[in-house]
PDB file of all heavy atoms in Angstrom:
ATOM      1  N   PHE G1286     -46.148 -62.715 118.827  1.00 98.00           N
ATOM      2  CA  PHE G1286     -44.851 -63.365 119.052  1.00 98.00           C
ATOM      3  C   PHE G1286     -44.484 -64.279 117.887  1.00 98.00           C
ATOM      4  O   PHE G1286     -43.336 -64.281 117.429  1.00 98.00           O
ATOM      5  CB  PHE G1286     -44.863 -64.182 120.345  1.00 98.00           C
ATOM      6  CG  PHE G1286     -43.560 -64.912 120.566  1.00 98.00           C
ATOM      7  CD1 PHE G1286     -42.432 -64.225 120.980  1.00 98.00           C
ATOM      8  CD2 PHE G1286     -43.453 -66.277 120.320  1.00 98.00           C
ATOM      9  CE1 PHE G1286     -41.209 -64.883 121.158  1.00 98.00           C
ATOM     10  CE2 PHE G1286     -42.242 -66.950 120.493  1.00 98.00           C
ATOM     11  CZ  PHE G1286     -41.122 -66.245 120.911  1.00 98.00           C
ATOM     12  N   ALA G1287     -45.438 -65.051 117.385  1.00 98.00           N
ATOM     13  CA  ALA G1287     -45.149 -66.038 116.339  1.00 98.00           C
ATOM     14  C   ALA G1287     -44.518 -65.408 115.113  1.00 98.00           C
ATOM     15  O   ALA G1287     -43.641 -66.014 114.473  1.00 98.00           O
ATOM     16  CB  ALA G1287     -46.423 -66.768 115.946  1.00 98.00           C
ATOM     17  N   PHE G1288     -44.947 -64.181 114.772  1.00 98.00           N
ATOM     18  CA  PHE G1288     -44.465 -63.546 113.555  1.00 98.00           C
ATOM     19  C   PHE G1288     -43.453 -62.442 113.825  1.00 98.00           C
ATOM     20  O   PHE G1288     -43.214 -61.580 112.979  1.00 98.00           O
ATOM     21  CB  PHE G1288     -45.646 -63.000 112.752  1.00 98.00           C
ATOM     22  CG  PHE G1288     -46.593 -64.082 112.296  1.00 98.00           C
ATOM     23  CD1 PHE G1288     -47.955 -63.976 112.533  1.00 98.00           C
ATOM     24  CD2 PHE G1288     -46.120 -65.220 111.656  1.00 98.00           C
ATOM     25  CE1 PHE G1288     -48.833 -64.978 112.120  1.00 98.00           C
ATOM     26  CE2 PHE G1288     -46.987 -66.226 111.248  1.00 98.00           C
ATOM     27  CZ  PHE G1288     -48.337 -66.106 111.477  1.00 98.00           C
ATOM     28  N   SER G1289     -42.832 -62.489 115.014  1.00 98.00           N
ATOM     29  CA  SER G1289     -41.815 -61.500 115.363  1.00 98.00           C
ATOM     30  C   SER G1289     -40.423 -62.084 115.149  1.00 98.00           C
ATOM     31  O   SER G1289     -40.220 -63.302 115.172  1.00 98.00           O
ATOM     32  CB  SER G1289     -41.974 -61.062 116.820  1.00 98.00           C
ATOM     33  OG  SER G1289     -41.663 -62.139 117.709  1.00 98.00           O
ATOM     34  N   ALA G1290     -39.460 -61.204 114.917  1.00 97.00           N
ATOM     35  CA  ALA G1290     -38.059 -61.619 114.820  1.00 97.00           C
ATOM     36  C   ALA G1290     -37.528 -61.878 116.231  1.00 97.00           C
ATOM     37  O   ALA G1290     -37.937 -61.213 117.175  1.00 97.00           O
ATOM     38  CB  ALA G1290     -37.249 -60.534 114.135  1.00 97.00           C
ATOM     39  N   PRO G1291     -36.616 -62.847 116.396  1.00 97.00           N
ATOM     40  CA  PRO G1291     -36.006 -63.648 115.329  1.00 97.00           C
ATOM     41  C   PRO G1291     -36.721 -64.965 115.033  1.00 97.00           C
ATOM     42  O   PRO G1291     -36.330 -65.681 114.131  1.00 97.00           O
ATOM     43  CB  PRO G1291     -34.618 -63.932 115.886  1.00 97.00           C
ATOM     44  CG  PRO G1291     -34.868 -64.091 117.368  1.00 97.00           C
ATOM     45  CD  PRO G1291     -35.932 -63.067 117.696  1.00 97.00           C
ATOM     46  N   VAL G1292     -37.774 -65.283 115.800  1.00 98.00           N
ATOM     47  CA  VAL G1292     -38.339 -66.630 115.697  1.00 98.00           C
ATOM     48  C   VAL G1292     -38.943 -66.882 114.313  1.00 98.00           C
ATOM     49  O   VAL G1292     -38.785 -67.972 113.752  1.00 98.00           O
ATOM     50  CB  VAL G1292     -39.358 -66.887 116.834  1.00 98.00           C
ATOM     51  CG1 VAL G1292     -40.594 -66.006 116.694  1.00 98.00           C
ATOM     52  CG2 VAL G1292     -39.752 -68.351 116.871  1.00 98.00           C
ATOM     53  N   ILE G1293     -39.604 -65.874 113.723  1.00 98.00           N
ATOM     54  CA  ILE G1293     -40.195 -66.101 112.406  1.00 98.00           C
ATOM     55  C   ILE G1293     -39.118 -66.275 111.349  1.00 98.00           C
ATOM     56  O   ILE G1293     -39.258 -67.074 110.411  1.00 98.00           O
ATOM     57  CB  ILE G1293     -41.167 -64.955 112.031  1.00 98.00           C
ATOM     58  CG1 ILE G1293     -41.928 -65.297 110.753  1.00 98.00           C
ATOM     59  CG2 ILE G1293     -40.430 -63.629 111.903  1.00 98.00           C
ATOM     60  CD1 ILE G1293     -42.801 -66.526 110.827  1.00 98.00           C
ATOM     61  N   ASP G1294     -38.010 -65.548 111.500  1.00 98.00           N
ATOM     62  CA  ASP G1294     -36.910 -65.693 110.546  1.00 98.00           C
ATOM     63  C   ASP G1294     -36.266 -67.070 110.679  1.00 98.00           C
ATOM     64  O   ASP G1294     -35.888 -67.694 109.672  1.00 98.00           O
ATOM     65  CB  ASP G1294     -35.857 -64.610 110.778  1.00 98.00           C
ATOM     66  CG  ASP G1294     -36.442 -63.218 110.645  1.00 98.00           C
ATOM     67  OD1 ASP G1294     -37.171 -62.966 109.667  1.00 98.00           O
ATOM     68  OD2 ASP G1294     -36.186 -62.377 111.535  1.00 98.00           O
ATOM     69  N   ASP G1295     -36.162 -67.546 111.906  1.00 98.00           N
ATOM     70  CA  ASP G1295     -35.547 -68.862 112.119  1.00 98.00           C
ATOM     71  C   ASP G1295     -36.372 -69.978 111.475  1.00 98.00           C
ATOM     72  O   ASP G1295     -35.822 -70.878 110.837  1.00 98.00           O
ATOM     73  CB  ASP G1295     -35.397 -69.139 113.618  1.00 98.00           C
ATOM     74  CG  ASP G1295     -34.308 -68.305 114.263  1.00 98.00           C
ATOM     75  OD1 ASP G1295     -33.446 -67.784 113.524  1.00 98.00           O
ATOM     76  OD2 ASP G1295     -34.322 -68.172 115.503  1.00 98.00           O
ATOM     77  N   VAL G1296     -37.691 -69.915 111.617  1.00 98.00           N
ATOM     78  CA  VAL G1296     -38.507 -71.017 111.100  1.00 98.00           C
ATOM     79  C   VAL G1296     -38.672 -70.938 109.594  1.00 98.00           C
ATOM     80  O   VAL G1296     -38.732 -71.966 108.910  1.00 98.00           O
ATOM     81  CB  VAL G1296     -39.877 -71.072 111.815  1.00 98.00           C
ATOM     82  CG1 VAL G1296     -40.807 -69.939 111.390  1.00 98.00           C
ATOM     83  CG2 VAL G1296     -40.540 -72.424 111.569  1.00 98.00           C
ATOM     84  N   THR G1297     -38.707 -69.727 109.035  1.00 98.00           N
ATOM     85  CA  THR G1297     -38.924 -69.613 107.590  1.00 98.00           C
ATOM     86  C   THR G1297     -37.642 -69.727 106.779  1.00 98.00           C
ATOM     87  O   THR G1297     -37.693 -69.774 105.548  1.00 98.00           O
ATOM     88  CB  THR G1297     -39.637 -68.289 107.239  1.00 98.00           C
ATOM     89  OG1 THR G1297     -38.905 -67.192 107.776  1.00 98.00           O
ATOM     90  CG2 THR G1297     -41.072 -68.294 107.760  1.00 98.00           C
ATOM     91  N   THR G1298     -36.511 -69.803 107.452  1.00 98.00           N
ATOM     92  CA  THR G1298     -35.262 -70.082 106.735  1.00 98.00           C
ATOM     93  C   THR G1298     -34.714 -71.466 107.082  1.00 98.00           C
ATOM     94  O   THR G1298     -33.595 -71.807 106.693  1.00 98.00           O
ATOM     95  CB  THR G1298     -34.189 -69.017 107.031  1.00 98.00           C
ATOM     96  OG1 THR G1298     -33.978 -68.924 108.438  1.00 98.00           O
ATOM     97  CG2 THR G1298     -34.601 -67.664 106.480  1.00 98.00           C
ATOM     98  N   GLY G1299     -35.505 -72.244 107.804  1.00 98.00           N
ATOM     99  CA  GLY G1299     -35.126 -73.621 108.073  1.00 98.00           C
ATOM    100  C   GLY G1299     -34.157 -73.822 109.210  1.00 98.00           C
ATOM    101  O   GLY G1299     -33.652 -74.933 109.402  1.00 98.00           O
ATOM    102  N   ARG G1300     -33.905 -72.773 109.993  1.00 98.00           N
ATOM    103  CA  ARG G1300     -32.969 -72.939 111.116  1.00 98.00           C
ATOM    104  C   ARG G1300     -33.615 -73.686 112.272  1.00 98.00           C
ATOM    105  O   ARG G1300     -32.916 -74.314 113.077  1.00 98.00           O
ATOM    106  CB  ARG G1300     -32.449 -71.569 111.569  1.00 98.00           C
ATOM    107  CG  ARG G1300     -31.524 -70.908 110.552  1.00 98.00           C
ATOM    108  CD  ARG G1300     -30.781 -69.730 111.154  1.00 98.00           C
ATOM    109  NE  ARG G1300     -31.644 -68.594 111.430  1.00 98.00           N
ATOM    110  CZ  ARG G1300     -31.872 -67.593 110.567  1.00 98.00           C
ATOM    111  NH1 ARG G1300     -31.326 -67.624 109.366  1.00 98.00           N
ATOM    112  NH2 ARG G1300     -32.644 -66.579 110.911  1.00 98.00           N
ATOM    113  N   ILE G1301     -34.950 -73.590 112.383  1.00 98.00           N
ATOM    114  CA  ILE G1301     -35.681 -74.410 113.342  1.00 98.00           C
ATOM    115  C   ILE G1301     -36.875 -75.027 112.614  1.00 98.00           C
ATOM    116  O   ILE G1301     -37.288 -74.545 111.558  1.00 98.00           O
ATOM    117  CB  ILE G1301     -36.170 -73.610 114.570  1.00 98.00           C
ATOM    118  CG1 ILE G1301     -37.176 -72.515 114.154  1.00 98.00           C
ATOM    119  CG2 ILE G1301     -34.992 -73.024 115.344  1.00 98.00           C
ATOM    120  CD1 ILE G1301     -37.822 -71.790 115.323  1.00 98.00           C
ATOM    121  N   THR G1302     -37.413 -76.093 113.165  1.00 98.00           N
ATOM    122  CA  THR G1302     -38.568 -76.751 112.545  1.00 98.00           C
ATOM    123  C   THR G1302     -39.864 -76.064 112.967  1.00 98.00           C
ATOM    124  O   THR G1302     -39.905 -75.271 113.917  1.00 98.00           O
ATOM    125  CB  THR G1302     -38.641 -78.220 112.972  1.00 98.00           C
ATOM    126  OG1 THR G1302     -38.905 -78.276 114.393  1.00 98.00           O
ATOM    127  CG2 THR G1302     -37.351 -78.961 112.653  1.00 98.00           C
ATOM    128  N   ARG G1303     -40.927 -76.418 112.270  1.00 98.00           N
ATOM    129  CA  ARG G1303     -42.237 -75.885 112.636  1.00 98.00           C
ATOM    130  C   ARG G1303     -42.606 -76.313 114.059  1.00 98.00           C
ATOM    131  O   ARG G1303     -43.156 -75.526 114.836  1.00 98.00           O
ATOM    132  CB  ARG G1303     -43.297 -76.371 111.648  1.00 98.00           C
ATOM    133  CG  ARG G1303     -44.663 -75.724 111.842  1.00 98.00           C
ATOM    134  CD  ARG G1303     -45.650 -76.244 110.806  1.00 98.00           C
ATOM    135  NE  ARG G1303     -46.901 -75.500 110.835  1.00 98.00           N
ATOM    136  CZ  ARG G1303     -47.862 -75.680 111.732  1.00 98.00           C
ATOM    137  NH1 ARG G1303     -47.712 -76.602 112.687  1.00 98.00           N
ATOM    138  NH2 ARG G1303     -48.973 -74.965 111.687  1.00 98.00           N
ATOM    139  N   ALA G1304     -42.306 -77.561 114.410  1.00 98.00           N
ATOM    140  CA  ALA G1304     -42.611 -78.050 115.754  1.00 98.00           C
ATOM    141  C   ALA G1304     -41.852 -77.253 116.810  1.00 98.00           C
ATOM    142  O   ALA G1304     -42.403 -76.922 117.880  1.00 98.00           O
ATOM    143  CB  ALA G1304     -42.265 -79.534 115.863  1.00 98.00           C
ATOM    144  N   GLU G1305     -40.599 -76.920 116.535  1.00 98.00           N
ATOM    145  CA  GLU G1305     -39.805 -76.117 117.473  1.00 98.00           C
ATOM    146  C   GLU G1305     -40.366 -74.694 117.576  1.00 98.00           C
ATOM    147  O   GLU G1305     -40.347 -74.090 118.659  1.00 98.00           O
ATOM    148  CB  GLU G1305     -38.346 -76.085 117.026  1.00 98.00           C
ATOM    149  CG  GLU G1305     -37.644 -77.418 117.191  1.00 98.00           C
ATOM    150  CD  GLU G1305     -36.289 -77.461 116.512  1.00 98.00           C
ATOM    151  OE1 GLU G1305     -36.096 -76.772 115.488  1.00 98.00           O
ATOM    152  OE2 GLU G1305     -35.406 -78.200 117.008  1.00 98.00           O
ATOM    153  N   TRP G1306     -40.851 -74.180 116.466  1.00 98.00           N
ATOM    154  CA  TRP G1306     -41.478 -72.846 116.452  1.00 98.00           C
ATOM    155  C   TRP G1306     -42.717 -72.823 117.344  1.00 98.00           C
ATOM    156  O   TRP G1306     -42.865 -71.946 118.195  1.00 98.00           O
ATOM    157  CB  TRP G1306     -41.836 -72.516 115.007  1.00 98.00           C
ATOM    158  CG  TRP G1306     -42.497 -71.209 114.736  1.00 98.00           C
ATOM    159  CD1 TRP G1306     -42.153 -69.979 115.231  1.00 98.00           C
ATOM    160  CD2 TRP G1306     -43.592 -70.978 113.835  1.00 98.00           C
ATOM    161  NE1 TRP G1306     -42.968 -68.996 114.705  1.00 98.00           N
ATOM    162  CE2 TRP G1306     -43.863 -69.587 113.834  1.00 98.00           C
ATOM    163  CE3 TRP G1306     -44.349 -71.806 113.020  1.00 98.00           C
ATOM    164  CZ2 TRP G1306     -44.875 -69.015 113.059  1.00 98.00           C
ATOM    165  CZ3 TRP G1306     -45.351 -71.237 112.244  1.00 98.00           C
ATOM    166  CH2 TRP G1306     -45.612 -69.863 112.269  1.00 98.00           C
ATOM    167  N   VAL G1307     -43.587 -73.799 117.168  1.00 98.00           N
ATOM    168  CA  VAL G1307     -44.812 -73.866 117.979  1.00 98.00           C
ATOM    169  C   VAL G1307     -44.454 -74.020 119.458  1.00 98.00           C
ATOM    170  O   VAL G1307     -45.063 -73.384 120.329  1.00 98.00           O
ATOM    171  CB  VAL G1307     -45.717 -75.017 117.496  1.00 98.00           C
ATOM    172  CG1 VAL G1307     -46.878 -75.233 118.459  1.00 98.00           C
ATOM    173  CG2 VAL G1307     -46.238 -74.722 116.083  1.00 98.00           C
ATOM    174  N   ARG G1308     -43.452 -74.841 119.732  1.00 98.00           N
ATOM    175  CA  ARG G1308     -43.033 -75.022 121.115  1.00 98.00           C
ATOM    176  C   ARG G1308     -42.498 -73.711 121.706  1.00 98.00           C
ATOM    177  O   ARG G1308     -42.796 -73.365 122.862  1.00 98.00           O
ATOM    178  CB  ARG G1308     -41.962 -76.111 121.209  1.00 98.00           C
ATOM    179  CG  ARG G1308     -41.561 -76.449 122.640  1.00 98.00           C
ATOM    180  CD  ARG G1308     -40.909 -77.818 122.725  1.00 98.00           C
ATOM    181  NE  ARG G1308     -39.731 -77.943 121.865  1.00 98.00           N
ATOM    182  CZ  ARG G1308     -39.681 -78.720 120.772  1.00 98.00           C
ATOM    183  NH1 ARG G1308     -40.727 -79.442 120.412  1.00 98.00           N
ATOM    184  NH2 ARG G1308     -38.581 -78.787 120.053  1.00 98.00           N
ATOM    185  N   ALA G1309     -41.743 -72.950 120.917  1.00 98.00           N
ATOM    186  CA  ALA G1309     -41.217 -71.664 121.381  1.00 98.00           C
ATOM    187  C   ALA G1309     -42.345 -70.678 121.668  1.00 98.00           C
ATOM    188  O   ALA G1309     -42.281 -69.905 122.631  1.00 98.00           O
ATOM    189  CB  ALA G1309     -40.264 -71.085 120.341  1.00 98.00           C
ATOM    190  N   ILE G1310     -43.387 -70.720 120.838  1.00 98.00           N
ATOM    191  CA  ILE G1310     -44.547 -69.851 121.062  1.00 98.00           C
ATOM    192  C   ILE G1310     -45.214 -70.201 122.396  1.00 98.00           C
ATOM    193  O   ILE G1310     -45.528 -69.326 123.207  1.00 98.00           O
ATOM    194  CB  ILE G1310     -45.549 -69.988 119.903  1.00 98.00           C
ATOM    195  CG1 ILE G1310     -44.935 -69.488 118.592  1.00 98.00           C
ATOM    196  CG2 ILE G1310     -46.844 -69.220 120.207  1.00 98.00           C
ATOM    197  CD1 ILE G1310     -45.704 -69.895 117.350  1.00 98.00           C
TER     198      ILE G1310
END
């Protein structure tokens, strides 16, 4: 899940923070 679209694209282009990414996971 962590490296799937769209979440990985959102975090690596700055649309969400790393903390938000971990929380989404």
Side-chain angles (χ1 to χ4, degrees):
F1286 177 75
F1288 297 129
S1289 68
V1292 67
I1293 188 62
D1294 301 313
D1295 288 342
V1296 73
T1297 55
T1298 56
R1300 291 193 290 268
I1301 63 173
T1302 66
R1303 187 179 189 282
E1305 290 169 330
W1306 180 45
V1307 171
R1308 185 160 57 249
I1310 295 166

